[in-house]
Amino acid sequence: MSWEKIVRLINENNSFLIGAHKNPEGDSLGSQLALFILLKDLGKKVAIYNADKVPSNYRFLPFSCWVKTTSPRGNFDVGFVLDCSGSFRLGKIRELFMKKSSLIVNIDHHISNDYFGDVNLVEPTASSACELIFMLYKKMKKDITPEAALCLYSGIFTDTGSFSYNSTSSRVHRIISQLIQKGIKPASVYENIYSSLSSQEMLYVSKIISSLKLSRRGKLCWVKTNLWRQFNSDITEVVFYIMRFMRKVEVVIFFKRLAKQVVRVNFRSRGRIDVNKIAGHFGGGGHKTAAGLTLRVSLDKAEEQVISYIENKFHI
């Protein structure tokens, strides 16, 4: 799908609904807000409709107060779904979001995307949804405002693991250079996102880390929590950040019991092992180095199934 068709849709329509995956993080929020700013500057009617609230550590992002979890009034010409490998990732708002949008535009960078939109722009080589919205600004020949630059920088920063993942290409650094020229303060972004845990949240992280287990060969590491607590901050990324300090570990996994017989499993890989394929085996998906899935089993059963499969398949 060409960028030209998306540009034409924006120019020819007047009202837009923007959504992204449930449990929002830096890339989903940054891309939504940057697109919101672009469309508002064009004089369009725009609303952002998500399943979950903005975590406290992302409320520094400009216009984050416009992200709503209640249904907006009326219908919209176009619905933009960002950073979602499938429409199911919209969560509980999926059905209503689709009903309110006459046409769905799917913009994403997950290799497992199922092309659910009426218009699909899926670029697995992109580091993030924010990188794609940056490209949309360029295709629209619109100047990136300082506010939009902050949103885009924050999304790329988080989705590249602070520029440490394999997705951090020379193109990413060229984009970041342009965004910093808009007045971005990298230290301030880092402080807002990663230095925001309360003492209670840090104690919870320490309990999760204390559950750490290693495979026999020491290249697979995982943690789990019996009842996932929804804090204001992005605890998942904090846990992964700590786990990645371990040498020789190829894959790290976080098992979270969300409810009775519902377990969320998130993966991170250093690159040799494709965790998108692992997640795909269980009906999930994502990227080669970051993926996830949901299993409707007990926490212990989820751990047993996933770890057994990985050890037998990859011998790590």
Side-chain angles (χ1 to χ4, degrees):
M1 176 56 60
S2 69
W3 282 107
E4 286 69 26
K5 183 163 187 178
I6 293 177
V7 170
R8 190 165 62 251
L9 282 171
I10 291 174
N11 287 331
E12 293 177 354
N13 289 281
N14 296 313
S15 59
F16 299 84
L17 185 60
I18 303 172
H21 61 74
K22 56 188 176 181
N23 301 319
E25 38 62 69
D27 188 34
S28 64
L29 290 167
S31 57
Q32 287 182 99
L33 292 168
L35 179 58
F36 174 88
I37 293 168
L38 171 63
L39 295 172
K40 276 290 188 183
D41 285 350
L42 291 169
K44 308 293 185 178
K45 172 190 173 184
V46 195
I48 302 177
Y49 181 32
N50 282 354
D52 300 297
K53 294 180 180 179
V54 176
S56 62
N57 58 325
Y58 290 112
R59 290 177 192 159
F60 74 96
L61 292 174
F63 302 100
S64 60
C65 61
W66 284 79
V67 178
K68 305 298 183 182
T69 56
T70 53
S71 175
R73 293 182 179 179
N75 294 319
F76 297 81
D77 299 326
V78 178
F80 276 100
V81 179
L82 308 180
D83 201 31
C84 283
S85 58
S87 61
F88 69 95
R89 293 285 286 130
L90 285 166
K92 61 188 177 184
I93 68 165
R94 177 186 177 278
E95 185 176 349
L96 189 57
F97 189 99
M98 297 299 181
K99 283 183 178 179
K100 283 185 166 290
S101 307
S102 299
L103 180 144
I104 296 294
V105 177
N106 162 31
I107 298 180
D108 187 38
H109 65 123
H110 293 89
I111 196 171
S112 58
N113 193 282
D114 62 12
Y115 292 78
F116 59 87
D118 299 299
V119 176
N120 299 283
L121 197 148
V122 179
E123 183 45 74
T125 64
S127 66
S128 55
C130 279
E131 182 177 331
L132 296 175
I133 299 302
F134 175 90
M135 293 302 301
L136 179 58
Y137 269 84
K138 296 300 182 182
K139 299 295 182 181
M140 296 285 299
K141 298 180 180 179
K142 293 292 293 181
D143 184 51
I144 296 175
T145 65
E147 293 81 7
L150 178 56
C151 296
L152 293 172
Y153 178 95
S154 300
I156 297 172
F157 172 74
T158 54
D159 237 38
T160 58
S162 308
F163 312 115
S164 66
Y165 294 164
N166 290 338
S167 59
T168 309
S169 62
S170 58
R171 179 175 63 188
V172 166
H173 283 297
R174 288 194 296 271
I175 291 170
I176 291 301
S177 175
Q178 294 179 56
L179 297 177
I180 289 176
Q181 289 175 29
K182 297 291 182 177
I184 302 302
K185 306 294 184 186
S188 176
V189 173
Y190 182 94
E191 187 76 15
N192 275 292
I193 295 174
Y194 291 126
S195 299
S196 58
L197 284 140
S198 67
S199 57
Q200 184 184 14
E201 289 168 332
M202 184 56 75
L203 286 170
Y204 185 53
V205 169
S206 70
K207 288 180 181 179
I208 293 170
I209 295 298
S210 70
S211 72
L212 189 146
K213 294 180 182 179
L214 282 166
S215 62
R216 291 187 299 275
R217 294 177 177 84
K219 295 185 178 182
L220 173 64
C221 173
W222 66 97
V223 294
K224 62 181 180 180
T225 180
N226 189 52
L227 186 59
W228 178 241
R229 298 176 64 179
Q230 293 294 333
F231 286 112
N232 287 324
S233 301
D234 192 355
I235 298 292
T236 298
E237 289 306 318
V238 174
V239 171
F240 277 132
Y241 182 77
I242 295 170
M243 292 173 74
R244 291 180 72 244
F245 279 115
M246 296 194 317
R247 289 186 298 173
K248 299 181 180 179
V249 171
E250 296 280 352
V251 175
V252 294
I253 311 174
F254 190 180
F255 294 90
K256 295 172 282 190
R257 178 180 177 269
L258 304 183
K260 186 177 181 179
Q261 300 291 303
V262 180
V263 178
R264 182 65 184 171
V265 188
N266 293 102
F267 305 86
R268 296 292 184 272
S269 168
R270 294 195 187 276
R272 190 176 71 85
I273 305 296
D274 186 343
V275 291
N276 174 62
K277 291 182 179 178
I278 296 173
H281 177 79
F282 294 95
H287 310 285
K288 182 178 180 181
T289 57
L293 61 94
T294 301
L295 294 174
R296 299 195 174 277
V297 296
S298 68
L299 182 63
D300 289 342
K301 190 66 175 178
E303 178 184 9
E304 176 189 340
Q305 288 179 356
V306 173
I307 299 303
S308 176
Y309 172 76
I310 295 173
E311 288 188 323
N312 293 330
K313 180 75 173 179
F314 298 96
H315 307 291
I316 60 172

